[in-house]
Amino acid sequence: MNLWFATPAERWGEETLPIGNGRLGAMIFGGIARERIQLNEESLWLGDETDPGAYQAFGDLFIDFDTKGETKNYRRELDIGRAVQTVGYSRDDVNFRREYFTSHPAGIMVFRFTADKPGSLSGMISLADSRNGTTTANSNGLAFQGNLAGFVHSQSKNKTAYDIALDYEARALVRHEGGSVEAKDGKLAFQNVDTLTVYLDAGTNYVNQRDQKWRGEHPRRAITERLSKASATPYAELLTDHVKDYQSLFNRVALDLGKTSPGIADLPTNQRLISYRGGELGKSTDSIYDGQSDDPNLKGKPDPELEALVSQYARYLMISCSRPGDLPANLQGIWNESNNPMWRCDYHADVNIQMNYWFTNPANLGECFLPFSAWLNSIVPVRREETKRELGFRGWATRWENGIFGGAACPWSMGDAAWLAQNLWDHYAFTGDKEYLRTQAYPIFKELCEFWEDILKENADGKLVAPPGKSPEHGPVTAGNSYDQQLAHDLFTNTINASRVLGVDENFRKKVETMRSRLLGPKIGKWGQLQEWAEDIDDPKDTHRHFSHMIGVFPGRQIAPSTTPELADAAKVSMNARGDASTGWSRAWKISVWARLQDGNRAYRILNGLIRTSLTPNLLATHPPFQIDANFGYAAGICEMLLQSHAGEIELLPALPQAWPNGKVSGLKARGNFTVDIEWKAGKVTHFRLTSPEPRQATVRVNGETQTVSAEILPDPTVASRATPENRPA
Ligand code: FUC
């Protein structure tokens, strides 16, 4: 459960190791003479209601240590079983140790520096605003504050200023044992200290309420309160509370895909990646993670523990960047060091944010999904207004790029909103939480159906088709693209089901049923492919990273080998033409698509290729600098390979590859709020268990045969699945 390195990180995003508590995040370099801790807070965004703006870096904490002598036994480590990062080394017979964590219960970050000989720590602490604001210091700590007025992201074309400018503030409180600490020129000098503890917090005045103009109280009061409370708590207690809170989520799933030989499992993570790829140990890893090329001549060493680690790492990352009450994970989760980040580090709604959240429920992190719902509900009023103003339709739509104030950019993309709504449906389908469905999801479904009612047009054959648009993000602008058609079908299906479950809107439901039956459906084209466009124009040489006509296979459920075998075969033809290699998130999606098409070996080959080519040494997925969707999409793929529940039954090991003949998994979730444990040997299920908080039965497919199984009653650990619209505290 560890990522570890024998050297400090040099490159942000590729070598630094992330920590976070949902709201606050940091990337830690672990430098010996200079420690750099790069800081983020989720709500530090530029933008307004007409432009997504961009997510911003917050600042950096630097610690310069007085160092003399030779450093030995350096080890930098992230324990994802406890969500604690450590750095250890020795010099002149003194052992130095650092510990870093971000506590969700205490709401702050804690960094502790110790040595086993008293008085060994001397140096200087600085705190820097990413916008060059002034830092003030007193003997207790450091602080900076500012306002985002005057900053504009380079992609915000017609903007010289945004209508919204958030206030922000960061504070570090410093405590020490032994020696002395004093303020000096906006920094803190520490001399002959035994133990140094830094408590850090940052925030903005953002609230997710449009009627409050997106701004609430200045963050200073909350920051000061959290810091004084945390610094008055014994360190051991802070740490214990943090680990307990983290493990209450993380420990729900255990995954064993087979044993790795100790010689490989013990390698530092960067070397382990080289071994996995079949490269030469000790060599630089640079050429490995270019995201595209995979040298088939390199025979990598099997490392099933790494394959499982990458999946559990996704759970670590999700717990660290998306907790109830927070904003959802953006393109980089919460970690970003740039004020002009790639793709605004935003919420892309034509696959990326949806992919971030595909695995949360299957991987038993239902609570971590709630920020997605809260964000989506918060932006609806803005989206509705712009839709009415520009398109004249009821309901709402969005565009590919989205921010936190409802502003969106790029062309209108009709299917995007229905795709976002699909995640909401899935949250209900997994948790069975009707209150959630009634308050957070169904109102969105209903309004989106009205939008589709307004935009669908009858074609010459009497079928309903979406207006001209793009199939993300390539090809011509045409009517009735599979992207839109499949998503309308999905939305209508979810709306029909939801209105039945809630016992509401019978007449409306009938109308939606009629619309669904009249939709132009999936078509098989001249080379046997599943058509991406209404016209039979797919190019068999097209290897574009998006393959939006597969939404019906995964994450949707319109096309499946058991229900629509011809369409499933056509999907295989298209996916074969698209090929396996692509950028990280595209590979990740392919794992799940092939798992749904029940080809476990193919899914495995893609998963293997993703690790070989698309992970940087810190196991984050590259799409320079990195993009977290592929980490999350990878975990979704593993879940789909081991368990599926979209087709009315729970299927165990639907796409198990030969590479994992023996293994076990516990704690995965199936639709209907079942928790599932599976053990297998020689590719066959040898033991399984279904639990549920309520007495209920399920049809379970085990080794090709179905059986009716009564679940054992077990309380549900998901504490916060009952969501009310989150009023995010400033
Ligand atoms: C979509 C993708 C790009 C990138 C961006 C953030 O536009 O096509 O590859 O992932 O989102």
Side-chain angles (χ1 to χ4, degrees):
M1 287 297 186
N2 288 353
L3 283 75
W4 77 276
F5 299 85
T7 50
E10 280 171 17
R11 281 173 294 194
W12 185 94
E14 297 171 15
E15 296 167 335
T16 49
L17 290 169
I19 58 170
N21 67 357
R23 188 181 69 83
L24 291 169
M27 280 286 199
I28 295 165
F29 284 73
I32 297 162
R34 164 167 274 206
E35 172 61 290
R36 177 181 170 209
I37 300 172
Q38 185 271 323
L39 307 166
N40 286 108
E41 201 272 355
E42 60 173 8
S43 65
L44 193 71
W45 273 77
L46 302 175
D48 55 28
E49 294 190 352
T50 61
D51 191 284
Y55 181 50
Q56 300 292 285
F58 215 109
D60 292 86
L61 185 87
F62 296 99
I63 306 186
D64 291 299
F65 292 96
D66 294 349
T67 48
K68 280 184 256 25
E70 196 195 341
T71 300
K72 291 189 189 133
N73 308 323
Y74 180 92
R75 188 176 169 107
R76 176 167 71 92
E77 185 165 354
L78 172 64
D79 177 357
I80 65 162
R82 295 171 67 239
V84 176
Q85 204 171 140
T86 52
V87 168
Y89 56 92
S90 56
R91 209 173 41 229
D92 294 338
D93 295 328
V94 182
N95 296 310
F96 293 85
R97 184 177 163 86
R98 308 177 187 169
E99 261 175 356
Y100 315 76
F101 62 91
T102 310
S103 165
H104 182 69
I108 48 116
M109 299 190 173
V110 190
F111 316 129
R112 168 168 265 217
F113 304 84
T114 57
D116 63 0
K117 186 176 153 223
S120 299
L121 299 168
S122 298
M124 192 75 91
I125 311 176
S126 12
L127 182 67
D129 179 354
S130 294
R131 284 145 296 277
N132 301 324
T134 310
T135 300
T136 52
N138 63 37
S139 58
N140 257 333
L142 302 156
F144 65 77
Q145 48 272 307
N147 177 277
L148 290 177
F151 296 96
V152 179
H153 187 260
S154 64
Q155 274 170 283
S156 302
K157 288 203 183 67
N158 302 318
K159 287 268 168 184
T160 50
Y162 300 108
D163 305 335
I164 298 171
L166 296 178
D167 293 329
Y168 63 88
E169 176 155 329
R171 256 171 210 281
L173 214 73
V174 177
R175 295 280 183 262
H176 66 105
E177 288 162 31
S180 65
V181 174
E182 62 176 330
K184 221 180 187 175
D185 307 328
K187 297 180 181 181
L188 281 186
F190 55 101
Q191 198 65 43
N192 303 332
V193 162
D194 308 338
T195 299
L196 192 71
T197 312
V198 181
Y199 306 86
L200 199 138
D201 198 359
T204 74
N205 61 338
Y206 167 79
V207 285
N208 68 354
Q209 305 291 315
R210 186 190 196 204
D211 55 13
Q212 294 178 41
K213 300 196 163 57
W214 307 102
R215 276 151 294 178
E217 194 191 336
H218 191 278
R220 181 166 314 144
R221 189 188 54 84
I223 290 175
T224 313
E225 274 176 16
R226 284 190 293 258
L227 284 177
S228 52
K229 195 163 169 226
S231 60
T233 308
Y235 177 80
E237 194 179 318
L238 268 185
L239 179 59
T240 310
D241 286 354
H242 157 66
V243 172
K244 199 169 146 211
D245 164 77
Y246 172 76
Q247 290 184 338
S248 72
L249 290 152
F250 186 77
N251 286 357
R252 290 176 193 169
V253 172
L255 177 62
D256 174 359
L257 299 174
K259 291 277 161 280
T260 297
S261 67
I264 293 173
D266 295 346
L267 288 170
T269 309
N270 50 348
Q271 295 297 315
R272 198 166 169 183
L273 272 183
I274 296 181
S275 146
Y276 192 83
R277 203 194 194 204
E280 212 178 310
L281 290 186
K283 283 273 167 65
S284 151
T285 45
D286 284 11
S287 58
I288 292 196
Y289 46 86
D290 62 6
Q292 295 290 337
S293 61
D294 193 7
D295 183 346
N297 299 318
L298 293 176
K299 292 277 171 280
K301 304 245 173 35
D303 191 349
E305 287 177 23
L306 177 66
E307 289 156 359
L309 176 70
V310 175
S311 187
Q312 290 288 38
Y313 187 45
R315 297 183 67 250
Y316 165 81
L317 293 167
M318 180 52 78
I319 299 168
S320 304
C321 74
S322 184
R323 296 287 199 105
D326 292 341
L327 281 162
N330 62 43
L331 286 171
Q332 294 173 197
I334 196 174
W335 300 277
N336 166 37
E337 72 155 355
S338 170
N339 289 332
N340 208 19
M342 281 301 285
W343 294 291
R344 307 168 183 269
C345 199
D346 67 0
Y347 301 120
H348 265 58
D350 64 343
V351 66
N352 313 85
I353 186 172
Q354 290 92 342
M355 178 178 289
N356 280 0
Y357 285 92
W358 288 339
F359 84 114
T360 43
N361 277 293
N364 213 333
L365 295 176
E367 296 93 328
C368 295
F369 173 73
L370 297 175
F372 180 105
S373 275
W375 165 75
L376 192 59
N377 278 282
S378 79
I379 64 167
V380 165
V382 182
R383 301 310 315 142
R384 188 188 292 135
E385 235 174 66
E386 188 186 316
T387 302
K388 182 144 188 60
R389 193 173 63 237
E390 291 201 12
L391 303 176
F393 299 125
R394 292 174 301 159
W396 61 275
T398 193
R399 307 158 182 272
W400 294 336
E401 300 183 338
N402 294 269
I404 66 168
F405 309 108
C410 291
W412 285 101
S413 185
M414 301 313 177
D416 288 19
W419 203 356
L420 293 164
Q422 182 187 61
N423 288 70
L424 304 189
W425 169 258
D426 273 340
H427 183 68
Y428 165 73
F430 277 90
T431 59
D433 185 342
K434 284 192 196 164
E435 191 53 20
Y436 168 82
L437 183 66
R438 194 177 61 77
T439 57
Q440 301 269 291
Y442 185 68
I444 289 191
F445 298 167
K446 206 174 159 187
E447 217 185 332
L448 290 178
C449 284
E450 287 168 355
F451 173 79
W452 283 90
E453 192 184 348
D454 285 2
I455 67 165
L456 287 170
K457 289 227 162 54
E458 209 176 84
N459 71 5
D461 304 327
K463 295 283 183 194
L464 293 179
V465 296
K470 291 273 270 187
S471 184
E473 295 179 14
H474 74 314
V477 173
T478 53
N481 294 336
S482 296
Y483 178 67
D484 294 325
Q485 298 300 121
Q486 290 183 10
L487 283 167
H489 185 277
D490 190 84
L491 171 73
F492 293 165
T493 304
N494 299 339
T495 308
I496 293 162
N497 291 344
S499 80
R500 278 209 192 99
V501 168
L502 297 172
V504 294
D505 296 333
E506 197 184 328
N507 291 335
F508 174 74
R509 183 194 321 147
K510 286 196 181 122
K511 189 159 72 178
V512 177
E513 279 169 348
T514 308
M515 287 200 293
R516 185 177 65 171
S517 68
R518 293 186 57 209
L519 277 176
L520 176 69
K523 293 208 272 186
I524 300 175
K526 52 182 183 272
W527 45 281
Q529 87 281 15
L530 187 67
Q531 284 181 213
E532 185 164 357
W533 292 277
E535 299 299 320
D536 190 358
I537 54 170
D538 301 70
D539 176 357
K541 293 204 182 67
D542 181 356
T543 57
H544 198 274
R545 62 191 180 283
H546 285 267
F547 39 89
S548 308
H549 48 324
M550 293 301 141
I551 289 169
V553 178
F554 181 89
R557 52 200 196 285
Q558 188 179 3
I559 300 169
S562 59
T563 52
T564 58
E566 291 87 13
L567 291 173
D569 283 344
K572 286 184 192 164
V573 171
S574 293
M575 289 305 287
N576 280 327
R578 260 332 195 246
D580 294 348
S582 194
T583 195
W585 65 257
S586 175
R587 284 183 192 259
W589 187 5
K590 287 173 187 175
I591 301 171
S592 288
V593 168
W594 281 109
R596 283 277 175 97
L597 295 171
Q598 306 206 306
D599 189 338
N601 287 333
R602 183 66 173 271
Y604 178 80
R605 201 163 93 199
I606 298 166
L607 167 164
N608 176 280
L610 191 157
I611 297 181
R612 285 161 68 99
T613 64
S614 305
L615 297 187
T616 54
N618 58 7
L619 304 184
L620 290 174
T622 178
H623 198 33
F626 83 91
Q627 213 169 280
I628 209 156
D629 42 18
N631 287 94
F632 295 149
Y634 173 97
I638 297 257
C639 290
E640 287 299 319
M641 290 167 79
L642 301 178
L643 180 70
Q644 291 178 16
S645 61
H646 59 286
E649 59 181 37
I650 295 178
E651 185 165 3
L652 311 183
L653 309 182
L656 187 74
Q658 281 160 348
W660 302 333
N662 308 314
K664 51 178 186 258
V665 64
S666 58
L668 291 185
K669 284 274 185 176
R671 286 171 181 78
N673 201 9
F674 290 101
T675 305
V676 185
D677 305 343
I678 315 168
E679 230 177 296
W680 67 94
K681 289 212 168 65
K684 293 271 177 256
V685 176
T686 53
H687 177 78
F688 73 93
R689 184 168 95 131
L690 237 64
T691 59
S692 172
E694 289 125 39
R696 57 176 68 182
Q697 293 192 322
T699 305
V700 184
R701 185 173 292 273
V702 193
N703 298 329
E705 308 284 332
T706 58
Q707 22 179 302
T708 306
V709 177
S710 301
E712 288 173 41
I713 312 279
L714 209 75
D716 187 358
T718 316
V719 280
S721 77
R722 238 157 271 289
T724 48
E726 303 291 346
N727 191 348
R728 184 188 175 279

